[in-house]
Amino acid sequence: MATYYDAINDGETSLSAQLDSTEVTSFTVNDGSQLPVGGAETSGFIVKLEDTFGHREYIECSHRSGNTVYISSRGFEGTIARTWIAGSYLKNVFTKATKDEITDKIESFYPLNVATADRPTLNLVDGRSIFDSTLNKPIWWNGSVWVDATGTTV
C-alpha cells in the first residue's frame, strides 16, 4: 500500500554533492540543514528529493551526523532510486515520531491480522478492530473486552 507522503515536518536543504543511483550508504547536505539531528528524531526519518520535472524519490534514512545523512533504503514507497545533482532540493517528509503516529492511524483503519494469543494489550482505544486469525473473524475492543459483531465476548 503506497502512502504518498507530503511534507509534514518542514525541514529542508539541498544536496552538497551528487547522489548517485547506485548503492550508496550516505549523502551530504549543505550547512544549516533543517533535517533532524540530535535526540530521538535522528533515528529513522524520510526525506524527499524532487526536481522541476516532477521526478521524485523518497529515501528512508537511518540517522544524521553533521552534514552526512545515512541511508536505510532508496526508492522508498515505490519511487525510483535515481542520480541527483548537487544542489537538488531535499525536504524532510517526516521523522520517526511522525512515522510511528501515521502507522498507528493507518492500523486503526486496516485491522491487524493476529492470532488470539497475539492480540494487542496496550494503548487500546474503544472501537479498535483486529482480525483474529484463530477465530477467523473480525473483533472489536469495547473499552474492557474484545467482542465479535454480535457483541459476544471473545
Side-chain angles (χ1 to χ4, degrees):
M1 174 186 74
T3 307
Y4 303 109
Y5 305 107
D6 285 324
I8 294 172
N9 295 122
D10 296 329
E12 55 187 57
T13 188
S14 60
L15 294 176
S16 63
Q18 180 168 307
L19 173 60
D20 292 325
S21 62
T22 57
E23 291 188 31
V24 293
T25 58
S26 65
F27 59 92
T28 55
V29 294
N30 289 315
D31 286 338
S33 168
Q34 298 171 350
L35 298 180
V37 63
E41 299 298 301
T42 28
S43 174
F45 59 96
I46 306 293
V47 297
K48 175 177 72 172
L49 280 157
E50 189 168 21
D51 65 19
T52 56
F53 301 106
H55 301 114
R56 75 174 51 146
E57 178 185 356
Y58 291 107
I59 301 174
E60 187 170 22
C61 305
S62 62
H63 65 286
R64 174 181 166 201
S65 177
N67 287 342
T68 302
V69 179
Y70 294 89
I71 298 171
S72 296
S73 65
R74 300 267 320 257
F76 188 69
E77 283 294 320
T79 59
I80 297 171
R82 48 190 319 114
T83 297
W84 297 92
I85 61 170
S88 291
Y89 180 69
L90 182 97
K91 187 148 186 102
N92 176 44
V93 177
F94 59 80
T95 61
K96 182 178 183 334
T98 305
K99 181 180 177 184
D100 291 345
E101 181 180 337
I102 290 170
T103 300
D104 288 346
K105 288 182 189 223
I106 289 171
E107 286 177 357
S108 71
F109 291 110
Y110 296 96
L112 292 174
N113 187 341
V114 297
T116 299
D118 298 323
R119 290 179 187 169
T121 58
L122 300 174
N123 302 322
L124 294 172
V125 178
D126 289 1
R128 169 75 191 266
S129 65
I130 64 171
F131 185 86
D132 188 309
S133 58
T134 306
L135 300 174
N136 198 30
K137 63 181 173 180
I139 61 173
W140 293 264
W141 180 254
N142 72 3
S144 53
V145 295
W146 290 100
V147 297
D148 65 13
T150 67
T152 304
T153 300
V154 290

